[in-house]
Amino acid sequence: MTAPTTVVLFGASGDLAKRKLIPGLLHLFQSGLVDDLRVVGTSLDDLNPDAFRDLALVAIREHSTREMSDPDWHEFAKRLDYVPLSAGPIMLKEAVHRAEEELPGTVDQRLHYLSVPPKAALAAVRMIGEADLVARSRVVMEKPFGTDYASAVALNAQLHDVFEEDQIFRIDHFLGKEPAQNILAFRFANGLFEPIWHRNNISHIEIDVPETLGLTQRADFYENTGAYRDMVVTHLFQIMAFTAMEPPTSLEPGAISREKNKVFRSMQPIRTSDVVRGQYTGYHDEPGVAGDSDTETFVALKCFVDNWRWAGVPFYLRTGKRMAEGARIISIAFREPPQSMFPPGSGVGDNGPDHLTFDLADKSKMSLSFYGKRPGPGFRLDKLSMQFSMHETSWAGAVLEAYERLIYDAARGDRTLFTSATGIERLWEISQPLLDDPPPVRPYGQGTWGPNQIHQLIAPYTWRLPFERQWRERKF
């Protein structure tokens, strides 16, 4: 449960608000996870409160994955209000105060969610300050957090002019997914796996997030960011920190944040020679893209965490647009035995090393592959696997979607899944050599796995995707 909360939703008529945030707020209200809730929407659109409620109803019907009864909607609709940005900070303040007057009790809080383009974020923060709505507040920031080291430092300094660091929640929806959090449970709750989570037993780790989508009318944003700034700094490095961090002293958010930041401090600067950049064919034909643009729509890189646990273990990260499949995979490759006692033709080594695989997609799956003997005479081995899927358990209905979980955590003040100023500045610092001297952009065909140079990057290993064996589907 949380304190009664007024959510001030900037960008309330935008795509993210309609697809994820409004349906998510409804579910948090329905479930009772947020004790009591009021939502004040604001955006550039000149809507009145009734028009905003109509927009919210359409968004919920189109995008919510859960059932909604008429009583649920009527109760939720009464909690929605709207003020256009053009009305100014005074009108926004009055709307928030009206909402707070309807909340029960005397202890309440404000959650400002900035679902706005990066260039509009500081204007929204200044408006919150001018409206005198900083007290009892937390502010949720969408990525990216700067575009290089200097801009990240400047952005954080300007944010700190209005909010304290413990009021700022820099969101990463990848970490809001149940499978990402399951990494912590898998590692630190099981005596079987934590002792082998080490360079002595692990040869390399892959974090692979290909996307089939293109720009989806985001050329103005994407041309100024590219795949590295858009995905690697704000998502893939965060997942990498969960995978590589040392055991925290507790599950308290501060302890986890400290261990993540230790990983970032231990990372070596990204070398240009360890990066492959790509651009899908046809990118220049996208609306809003310059004909000579060298913005990368694909990036793959090799990086290292220079500490005792991970010294010499390469981490391979890959992401891109218009690729063959959409997936979110962490793959832990274990070292193969130093010597084989099995006869030639037994099959040992034919299918590569044993892997522990986390599927970070919404279906939430894990798989452990290993060699086992085929029944019958002789000694023929095959690659087998044990698999777990959240959807095969009775817990499936309790899964919060990523944005729901992150809004809920922000409302509770739980910073476990959010990025600190120190952490994000360090990631831009190690990225600066690459940003100053990027490698050339290589073409790749739409519906492929990226430029051919990715195979040279990962040699002598191979990319885990595409899978040779598919996940087992649920049988009941």
Side-chain angles (χ1 to χ4, degrees), residues 82-143:
Y82 185 87
V83 178
L85 282 173
S86 58
I90 293 177
M91 296 300 291
L92 179 64
K93 179 179 180 179
E94 291 179 359
V96 171
H97 284 178
R98 282 197 306 272
E100 290 175 338
E101 288 171 359
E102 298 176 3
L103 292 172
T106 57
V107 179
D108 56 76
Q109 63 184 4
R110 300 158 183 159
L111 185 66
H112 304 285
Y113 197 114
L114 308 189
S115 178
V116 297
K119 60 185 179 183
L122 285 175
V125 168
R126 286 192 289 270
M127 187 172 185
I128 295 168
E130 292 167 4
D132 194 24
L133 296 174
V134 176
R136 309 189 315 278
S137 285
R138 300 182 180 113
V139 59
V140 179
M141 304 281 298
E142 281 283 343
K143 55 97 174 173

Side-chain angles (χ1 to χ4, degrees), residues 65-328:
T65 59
R66 299 178 174 91
E67 296 294 326
M68 178 185 67
S69 67
D70 287 341
D72 283 344
W73 165 246
H74 290 308
E75 283 300 312
F76 185 64
K78 290 190 297 186
R79 289 162 167 79
L80 301 180
D81 199 356
Y82 185 87
V83 178
L85 282 173
S86 58
I90 293 177
M91 296 300 291
L92 179 64
K93 179 179 180 179
E94 291 179 359
V96 171
H97 284 178
R98 282 197 306 272
E100 290 175 338
E101 288 171 359
E102 298 176 3
L103 292 172
T106 57
V107 179
D108 56 76
Q109 63 184 4
R110 300 158 183 159
L111 185 66
H112 304 285
Y113 197 114
L114 308 189
S115 178
V116 297
K119 60 185 179 183
L122 285 175
V125 168
R126 286 192 289 270
M127 187 172 185
I128 295 168
E130 292 167 4
D132 194 24
L133 296 174
V134 176
R136 309 189 315 278
S137 285
R138 300 182 180 113
V139 59
V140 179
M141 304 281 298
E142 281 283 343
K143 55 97 174 173
F145 317 112
T147 56
D148 57 16
Y149 178 67
S151 64
V153 171
L155 173 61
N156 283 325
Q158 293 176 80
L159 291 175
H160 293 155
D161 285 341
V162 180
F163 290 99
E164 300 295 328
E165 175 62 21
D166 63 3
Q167 293 179 284
I168 303 170
F169 288 72
R170 299 168 186 82
I171 200 167
D172 174 13
H173 70 271
F174 274 46
L175 293 187
K177 294 180 176 295
E178 288 288 347
Q181 298 161 57
N182 232 334
I183 298 170
L184 295 182
F186 197 87
R187 285 190 58 188
F188 301 131
N190 295 297
L192 175 63
F193 290 102
E194 179 54 26
I196 64 173
W197 212 266
H198 192 277
R199 68 179 185 276
N200 291 345
N201 307 102
I202 292 175
S203 68
H204 65 284
I205 293 174
E206 297 177 31
I207 300 174
D208 215 348
V209 186
E211 297 181 294
T212 57
L213 295 175
L215 297 191
T216 60
Q217 299 179 337
R218 297 167 69 229
D220 181 54
F221 164 77
Y222 205 80
E223 277 284 270
N224 293 308
T225 54
Y228 185 85
R229 290 178 171 93
D230 183 38
M231 291 291 292
V232 176
V233 176
T234 51
H235 292 321
L236 273 63
F237 281 155
Q238 302 298 325
I239 296 171
M240 177 178 164
F242 263 35
T243 308
M245 63 189 275
E246 294 295 321
T249 54
S250 70
L251 283 180
E252 186 268 328
I256 292 176
S257 182
R258 283 192 293 273
E259 296 305 329
K260 285 173 59 184
N261 286 340
K262 286 180 185 177
V263 173
F264 300 147
R265 287 198 299 271
S266 299
M267 289 177 66
Q268 298 177 359
I270 307 301
R271 301 187 305 179
T272 299
S273 58
D274 289 336
V275 178
V276 175
R277 296 167 72 226
Q279 186 184 91
Y280 64 77
T281 54
Y283 176 73
H284 290 160
D285 299 327
E286 299 277 11
V289 173
D292 59 350
S293 172
D294 66 349
T295 300
E296 80 277 1
T297 62
F298 170 97
V299 64
L301 64 142
K302 175 171 61 177
C303 56
F304 295 89
V305 178
D306 195 14
N307 60 20
W308 277 44
R309 182 183 290 264
W310 297 113
V313 176
F315 289 75
Y316 296 98
L317 282 57
R318 176 172 65 167
T319 186
K321 301 285 188 184
R322 298 288 188 191
M323 296 184 69
E325 293 178 20
R328 296 162 185 170

